[in-house]
């Protein structure tokens, strides 16, 4: 491309519908839960008074605050593994410290300075053709499958693609277990988009796993980028497009990479001239790649960027036409260059009326060149694209981060997407169990059950929970009512942020209902619902969770029960179940931080969950009511699944162990010993939301874990069945021999519950210096 490489919503707020409105619906109230049963959706939407909105440097982790200083490393060689009886499944590993001059870790997969696992690109054709899966790849494999969604990607409706081009890519997001960073770029308006492309100027851009995990939770497909540019790009193309065998070899590797790492396709971006032979083979390469991707990765997508013409000339067209149509016909769609005018759109409508959904009209948010809109006027481009029925490809929306005050990122991000929302139809995802704490994958602190667990700025998109629709209707109501929502890092229930809903109920209305989620999930016969929130500066309002359903085809509510906090026994759970005990202590009780959790048992038959609202109503009539409501968590669970016994963590083990000696922080400059290793375990796929990893020092390894030992300390959270322990300061084996460490792995179920410690994984490490190895005693 000439300037840079690529890279209606409805019912967002439903105001104050009185129960007497002539609309076919029924509201069933039970304290803070409303169930809106819609007889005919069209009647509600057209007959009710529904408001329609306008649709660099990072701080590396070093133990607590300490850093290893020397270049030398130590490596443990495993020479013993036994099992010990315990209430937990436990492995015991006995090691002797041995020195190595250089690190044994793969430079591609691990950061040289910290040994942290990192995402990576492939920087040459030889790297691509020599790529093979390896044990070190496990950190880079996405763990979240692509959520089912409506409409499906292949529905033929206009779609929205976002191409991420952030300062060359692979910044803080390359650190798979997260980074400590004051300000970061993140994306959280997922319900507006259909495809996310991770872009960089390396030949093969493999999307960082955290982006794939976050996108997949929202039903958004993720594409990597295969790009060739300039003279080096021409050499690559002349090599792999010389004939059928070389182009098939490249395509096969691209397919294997996408399948192995768990993403959904490729953007092919050839930005250099092609010889007669190379351009002749390009359509065949695209057809073969597309066919193989469709066979190997369900729902996959291959897109072509508007650059090279059918004669091999590099000349951007800013439209689909006869000069580039042969490439479009060989894959799933085309991403046009940005310098188009409305006449280009009109010409494509007349030529390609049946293919408009597969034509992604490019929009450069930086507004480089002769473009329509851009920056905070990008909505001008979207208006024309939607007017003519095309899909949109929004390139480099990170402009809101790169070109503005970093500390105002959330405000600018919400402003940008709010201006576009009128032109961005939302998709619905099918998610049960439905659990979200509104964490956006970054924050100033990390919260657990409403309490601050760790104070530090952090970033990890794998921790991002399902995000709501974000709205700002500050001036929509002539009568003075308004409402807006935003993510807020100042307080949270779990993770790094909560959802803050702020607004004004006018004196002429009794309530405001805010649509948060668009879903398409069959409701179980018995459904357990929990809703955690707190009201701030809102003395005269009440808050309720509202579930909107449609019949499928018959929807009957047999009963709804508000479960009091003193006797939480959601049938058919038994008295001794840990879930019952957990909810008994939480439901309906206000904790010291002001959070309230309400729990409900809902019985229904043949219903589809369509939307989730927050309904705010005022208690005193005739007065305006200002409110601030912070929503911490929403759970919608199948009761039958709550009775299932969680699986235990199996077979914990260690690999790739590296030791460092360095000077710690504080007075005295005392040299310390730092432990680095990869902890592995086994757990059933998709049965855990994440894992919490702890460590502690053992004084007597024969003592049971629950008695006589030091308190366990949280190291971090894992979003796969492995975790890299990085620069953990541990007792020096030169002072005491042998030394004993214990690592514990706690699974958090996909419903968001902790499990009994008897189901945790446990690994004990015994280590000693070589000079002491002969005299060290074993277990």
């Amino acid at each position: 491309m000439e300037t840079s490489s690529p890279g209606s919503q409805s019912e967002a707020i439903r105001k104050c519908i009185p129960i007497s409105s002539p609309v076919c619906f029924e509201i069933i109230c039970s304290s803070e839960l409303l169930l809106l049963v819609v007889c005919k959706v069209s009647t509600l939407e057209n007959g009710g008074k529904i408001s329609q909105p306008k649709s660099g440097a990072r701080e590396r982790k070093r133990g607590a605050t300490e850093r290893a200083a020397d270049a030398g490393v130590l490596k443990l060689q495993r020479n013993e593994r036994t099992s010990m009886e315990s209430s937990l499944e436990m492995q015991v590993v006995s090691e002797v410290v041995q020195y190595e001059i250089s690190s044994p870790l793969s430079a591609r997969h691990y950061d040289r300075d910290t040994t942290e696992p990192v995402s990576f690109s492939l920087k040459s054709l030889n790297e691509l053709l020599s790529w093979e899966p390896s044990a070190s790849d496990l950190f880079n494999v996405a763990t979240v499958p692509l959520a089912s969604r409506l409409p499906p990607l292949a529905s033929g409706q206009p779609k929205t693609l976002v191409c991420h081009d952030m300062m060359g890519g692979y910044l803080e997001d390359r650190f798979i277990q997260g980074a400590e960073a004051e300000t970061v770029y993140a994306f959280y308006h997922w319900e507006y988009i259909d495809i996310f492309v991770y872009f960089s100027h390396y030949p093969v851009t493999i999307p960082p796993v955290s982006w794939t995990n976050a996108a997949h939770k929202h039903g958004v497909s993720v594409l990597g980028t295969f790009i060739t540019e300039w003279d080096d790009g021409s050499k690559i193309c002349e090599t792999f497009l010389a004939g059928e065998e070389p182009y098939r070899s490249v395509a096969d590797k691209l397919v294997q990479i996408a399948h192995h790492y768990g993403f959904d396709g490729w953007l092919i971006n050839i930005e250099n001239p092609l010889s007669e032979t190379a351009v002749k083979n390009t359509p065949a390469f695209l057809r073969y790649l597309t066919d193989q991707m469709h066979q190997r990765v369900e729902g996959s997508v291959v897109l072509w960027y508007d650059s090279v013409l059918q004669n091999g000339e590099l000349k951007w067209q800013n439209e689909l036409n006869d000069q580039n149509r042969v490439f479009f016909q060989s894959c799933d769609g085309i991403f046009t260059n940005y310098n188009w005018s409305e006449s280009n759109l009109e010409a494509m409508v007349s030529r390609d009326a049946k293919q408009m959904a597969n034509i992604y009209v490019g929009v450069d948010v930086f507004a480089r060149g002769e473009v329509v809109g851009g920056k905070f006027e990008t909505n001008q481009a979207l208006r024309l694209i939607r007017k003519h029925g095309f899909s949109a490809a929004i390139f480099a929306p990170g402009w809101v981060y790169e070109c503005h005050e970093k500390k105002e990122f959330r405000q600018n991000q919400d402003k940008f997407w709010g201006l576009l929302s009128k032109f961005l139809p939302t998709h619905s995802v099918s998610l049960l169990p439905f659990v979200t704490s509104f964490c956006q994958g970054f924050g100033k602190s990390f919260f657990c059950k409403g309490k601050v667990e760790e104070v530090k700025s952090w970033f990890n998109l794998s921790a991002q929970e399902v995000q709501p629709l974000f709205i700002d209707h500050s001036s929509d109501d002539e009568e003075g009512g308004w409402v807006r929502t935003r993510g807020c890092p100042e307080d949270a229930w779990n993770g790094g942020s909560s959802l803050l809903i702020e607004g004004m109920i006018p004196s002429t209305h009794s309530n405001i209902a805010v649509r948060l989620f668009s879903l398409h999930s069959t409701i179980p016969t018995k459904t357990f619902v929990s809703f955690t929130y707190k009201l701030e500066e809102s003395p005269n309002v009440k808050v309720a969770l509202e579930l909107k359903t449609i019949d499928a085809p018959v929807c009957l509510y047999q009963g709804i029960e508000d479960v009091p906090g003193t006797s939480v026994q959601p049938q058919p759970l038994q008295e001794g179940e840990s879930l019952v005990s957990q909810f008994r202590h939480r439901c309906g009780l206000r904790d010291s931080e002001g959070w309230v959790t309400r729990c409900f048992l809902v019985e229904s038959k043949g219903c589809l969950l369509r939307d989730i609202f927050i309904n705010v109503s005022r208690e005193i009539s005739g007065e305006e009511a200002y409110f601030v409501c912070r929503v911490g968590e929403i759970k919608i669970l199948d009761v039958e699944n709550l009775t299932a016994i969680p699986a235990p963590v199996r077979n914990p083990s260690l690999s790739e162990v590296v030791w460092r000696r360095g000077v710690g922080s504080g007075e005295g400059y005392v040299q310390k010993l730092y432990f680095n290793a990869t902890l592995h375990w086994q757990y059933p796929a998709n049965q855990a939301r994440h894992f919490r990893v702890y460590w502690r020092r053992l004084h007597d390894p024969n003592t049971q874990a629950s008695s006589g030992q030091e308190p366990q300390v949280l190291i971090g959270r894992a979003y796969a069945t492995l975790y890299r322990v990085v620069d953990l300061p541990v007792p020096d084996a030169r002072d005491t021999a042998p030394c004993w460490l214990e690592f514990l792995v706690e699974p958090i179920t996909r419903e968001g519950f902790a499990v009994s410690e008897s189901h945790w994984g446990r690994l004990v490490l015994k280590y000693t210096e070589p000079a002491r190895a002969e005299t060290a005693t074993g277990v």
Side-chain angles (χ1 to χ4, degrees):
M1 48 207 77
E2 298 169 291
T3 58
S4 177
S5 297
S8 305
Q9 158 184 341
S10 65
E11 289 189 276
I13 171 175
R14 185 170 52 76
K15 294 183 181 178
C16 318
I17 304 177
I19 295 179
S20 58
S21 296
V23 179
C24 182
F25 68 94
E26 178 185 4
I27 295 181
I28 303 173
C29 297
S30 179
S31 295
E32 285 91 358
L33 180 66
L34 296 178
L35 288 158
L36 186 62
V37 186
V38 180
C39 302
K40 291 185 178 179
V41 176
S42 59
T43 304
L44 175 61
E45 292 179 343
N46 298 324
K49 297 183 180 295
I50 302 173
S51 173
Q52 300 287 347
K54 311 295 185 190
S55 310
R58 98 187 226 302
E59 297 177 9
R60 293 187 176 90
K61 293 175 284 187
R62 293 287 186 163
T65 56
E66 301 146 332
R67 292 182 172 274
D70 65 340
V73 298
L74 307 172
K75 183 178 180 182
L76 294 183
Q77 299 294 330
R78 182 173 304 154
N79 62 14
E80 178 184 343
R81 173 176 290 176
T82 62
S83 62
M84 298 176 64
E85 292 187 1
S86 171
S87 59
L88 308 181
E89 177 167 332
M90 182 180 69
Q91 299 290 334
V92 177
V93 180
S94 180
E95 307 279 358
V96 175
V97 175
Q98 294 185 356
Y99 293 86
E100 289 190 7
I101 297 175
S102 61
S103 172
L105 302 178
S106 162
R108 171 186 289 177
H109 297 92
Y110 297 94
D111 182 74
R112 278 296 193 189
D113 293 335
T114 66
T115 83
E116 294 174 85
V118 293
S119 297
F120 59 89
S121 61
L122 301 178
K123 299 176 177 59
S124 68
L125 184 60
N126 286 337
E127 278 195 55
L128 171 62
L129 293 175
S130 62
W131 176 88
E132 294 291 343
S134 74
S136 297
D137 276 333
L138 292 177
F139 281 106
N140 285 277
V141 176
T143 55
V144 179
L146 181 62
S148 175
R149 52 167 288 160
L150 284 178
L153 201 58
S155 67
Q157 297 186 23
K159 295 174 281 291
T160 305
L161 176 151
V162 162
C163 189
H164 172 77
D165 179 28
M166 173 57 66
M167 303 166 65
Y170 300 104
L171 304 175
E172 289 90 352
D173 56 2
R174 78 185 186 275
F175 292 95
I176 293 171
Q177 294 184 168
E180 296 178 28
E182 289 291 333
T183 58
V184 292
Y185 175 79
F187 186 79
Y188 47 83
H189 289 82
W190 295 105
E191 284 197 346
Y192 291 142
I193 77 169
D194 304 276
I195 298 173
F196 177 84
V197 179
Y198 194 85
F199 179 84
S200 75
H201 289 275
Y202 301 112
V204 180
T205 301
I206 300 171
V209 64
S210 61
W211 282 100
T212 304
N213 284 338
H216 279 185
K217 289 176 185 176
H218 298 85
V220 174
S221 298
V222 177
L223 310 186
T225 307
F226 178 67
I227 184 172
T228 62
E229 301 175 284
W230 313 107
D231 291 341
D232 288 343
S234 293
K235 294 176 183 177
I236 291 173
C237 289
E238 295 310 310
T239 300
F240 91 89
L241 291 171
E244 181 177 357
E245 182 177 351
Y247 76 63
R248 285 196 170 206
S249 296
V250 166
D252 287 341
K253 287 296 183 182
L254 293 176
V255 172
Q256 292 168 23
I257 287 170
H259 180 263
H260 179 71
Y261 294 118
F263 60 95
D264 309 293
W266 294 97
L267 171 66
I268 307 301
N269 184 18
I270 305 298
E271 297 215 60
N272 46 258
L274 296 176
S275 68
E276 181 178 354
T277 298
V279 76
K280 179 182 178 181
N281 285 323
T282 300
F285 161 68
L286 288 172
R287 282 193 295 272
Y288 179 75
L289 172 63
T290 304
D291 289 344
Q292 293 302 305
M293 281 297 303
H294 289 177
Q295 290 180 31
R296 197 76 183 273
V297 179
E298 183 178 358
S300 59
V301 177
V302 176
L303 299 179
W304 172 259
Y305 183 71
D306 159 32
S307 50
V308 176
L309 307 185
Q310 62 181 0
N311 64 3
E313 181 182 0
L314 178 62
K315 188 176 182 181
W316 299 269
Q317 298 297 287
N318 306 299
E319 66 177 26
L320 173 65
N321 58 31
D322 291 341
Q323 298 298 312
N324 55 24
R325 189 178 310 280
V326 64
F327 309 114
F328 169 75
Q329 293 172 335
S330 302
C331 60
D332 295 311
I334 188 169
F335 179 152
T336 77
N337 194 46
Y338 315 115
N339 297 314
W340 49 268
S341 65
E342 189 170 9
S343 62
N344 295 106
L345 305 184
E346 293 169 345
M348 288 191 291
V349 170
S350 64
R351 292 190 302 260
D352 299 284
K354 295 182 179 179
Q355 293 289 341
M356 292 190 297
N358 297 322
I359 300 171
Y360 296 79
V361 179
V363 180
D364 181 13
V365 177
F366 277 81
R368 290 161 286 200
E370 298 296 324
V371 301
V372 175
K375 303 181 179 178
F376 282 126
E377 295 182 345
T378 298
N379 56 334
Q380 296 180 13
L382 266 290
R383 179 180 60 80
L384 291 178
I385 292 170
R386 298 308 192 205
K387 172 184 173 182
H388 294 286
F390 291 102
S391 292
I394 302 171
F395 176 67
W399 170 82
V400 299
Y401 175 85
E402 291 188 54
C403 297
H404 294 81
E405 175 60 48
K406 302 297 187 290
K407 293 182 179 180
E408 297 177 359
F409 163 64
R410 276 191 171 93
Q411 297 93 307
N412 289 317
Q413 171 100 316
D414 292 345
K415 176 182 176 181
F416 177 83
W417 289 98
L419 290 169
L420 297 186
S421 61
K422 178 180 178 180
F423 309 105
L424 300 176
T426 61
H427 64 262
S428 301
V429 292
S430 180
L431 294 172
L432 274 185
F434 179 87
V435 179
T436 184
S437 61
F438 303 94
C439 177
Q440 294 180 329
F442 63 107
K444 300 177 180 179
S445 301
F446 205 97
F447 294 81
C448 183
K449 296 182 180 179
K451 304 291 194 300
V452 174
E453 188 171 62
E454 192 172 16
V455 179
K456 70 175 182 180
S457 295
W458 64 276
F459 172 64
N460 187 348
L461 284 176
S462 286
Q464 188 181 89
E465 296 283 358
V466 178
Q467 294 297 295
L469 291 165
F470 295 95
I471 62 171
D472 185 351
H473 294 277
S474 305
S475 58
D476 285 356
D477 195 323
E478 296 179 356
E479 298 176 319
W482 59 272
V483 67
R484 57 177 169 257
T485 64
R486 62 182 174 90
C488 181
E490 304 302 330
D491 194 5
W493 180 250
N494 279 321
S497 55
S498 57
L499 179 69
L500 199 67
I501 306 176
E502 183 182 18
M504 177 75 74
I505 305 173
S507 59
T508 54
H509 294 72
S510 61
N511 73 298
I512 288 181
V514 185
R515 180 175 178 239
L516 298 186
F517 297 99
S518 176
L519 303 173
H520 188 85
S521 299
T522 301
I523 299 179
T525 302
K526 290 187 177 182
T527 306
F528 191 89
V529 180
S530 72
F531 170 41
T532 300
Y533 68 97
K534 68 165 65 173
L535 281 171
E536 303 173 357
E537 304 178 35
S538 313
N540 298 316
V541 301
K542 294 188 299 183
V543 176
L545 185 66
E546 183 175 325
L547 306 181
K548 181 176 176 182
T549 68
I550 56 176
D551 61 323
V554 178
C555 180
L556 299 174
Y557 278 93
Q558 299 173 336
I560 177 169
E561 176 187 348
D562 181 8
V563 184
T566 56
S567 60
V568 175
Q569 296 181 31
Q571 298 297 323
L573 298 184
Q574 300 300 312
E575 177 69 23
E577 290 286 341
S578 61
L579 294 178
V580 177
S581 301
Q582 183 174 356
F583 274 99
R584 178 182 294 112
H585 292 295
R586 284 176 45 195
C587 291
L589 300 180
R590 184 180 302 274
D591 71 5
S592 59
E593 309 299 325
W595 291 101
V596 175
T597 297
R598 303 294 296 173
C599 298
F600 309 89
L601 182 64
V602 180
E603 297 183 6
S604 62
K605 181 180 181 181
C607 299
L608 288 175
L609 177 60
R610 178 184 173 187
D611 295 301
I612 299 176
F613 286 82
I614 295 296
N615 193 303
V616 185
S617 59
R618 58 184 174 79
E619 296 180 321
I620 302 176
S621 60
E623 295 183 4
E624 290 184 338
Y626 171 72
F627 65 89
V628 178
C629 176
R630 188 181 299 276
V631 185
E633 184 178 72
I634 297 174
K635 291 184 179 184
I636 303 175
L637 313 173
D638 186 344
V639 169
E640 287 192 9
N641 290 340
L642 300 185
T643 62
I645 299 175
V649 173
R650 300 287 188 189
N651 301 321
S653 63
L654 284 177
S655 68
E656 297 171 313
V657 179
V658 173
W659 294 81
R660 299 174 183 267
R661 286 198 179 278
V663 177
S665 61
E667 298 181 0
Y669 300 100
V670 177
Q671 272 210 348
K672 291 190 176 183
L673 184 63
Y674 296 90
F675 177 72
N676 302 263
T678 300
L679 183 63
H680 307 256
W681 59 90
Q682 294 177 351
Y683 202 78
N686 302 324
Q687 288 193 21
R689 299 188 73 77
H690 62 272
F691 302 87
R692 293 165 61 87
V693 180
Y694 306 88
W695 85 287
R696 63 181 162 196
R697 180 179 180 179
L698 295 182
H699 298 291
D700 181 358
N702 295 301
T703 302
Q704 293 294 321
S706 60
S707 58
Q709 306 300 340
E710 293 184 2
Q712 61 203 30
V713 178
L714 180 68
I715 303 175
R717 300 156 195 87
Y719 299 89
T721 54
L722 71 168
Y723 183 81
R724 183 73 186 168
V725 179
V726 176
D727 282 349
L728 180 68
V730 297
D732 198 325
R734 296 180 301 186
D735 301 330
T736 305
C739 289
W740 300 87
L741 306 180
E742 181 180 48
F743 296 96
L744 299 163
V745 178
E746 176 191 14
I748 304 299
T749 70
R750 63 176 185 160
E751 291 83 12
F753 298 121
V755 303
S756 167
E757 193 168 327
S758 63
H759 288 72
W760 296 12
R762 181 186 180 194
L763 184 143
V764 173
L765 169 67
K766 180 184 78 172
Y767 63 96
T768 185
E769 290 282 346
R772 295 177 176 268
E774 295 180 0
T775 59
T777 57
V779 179

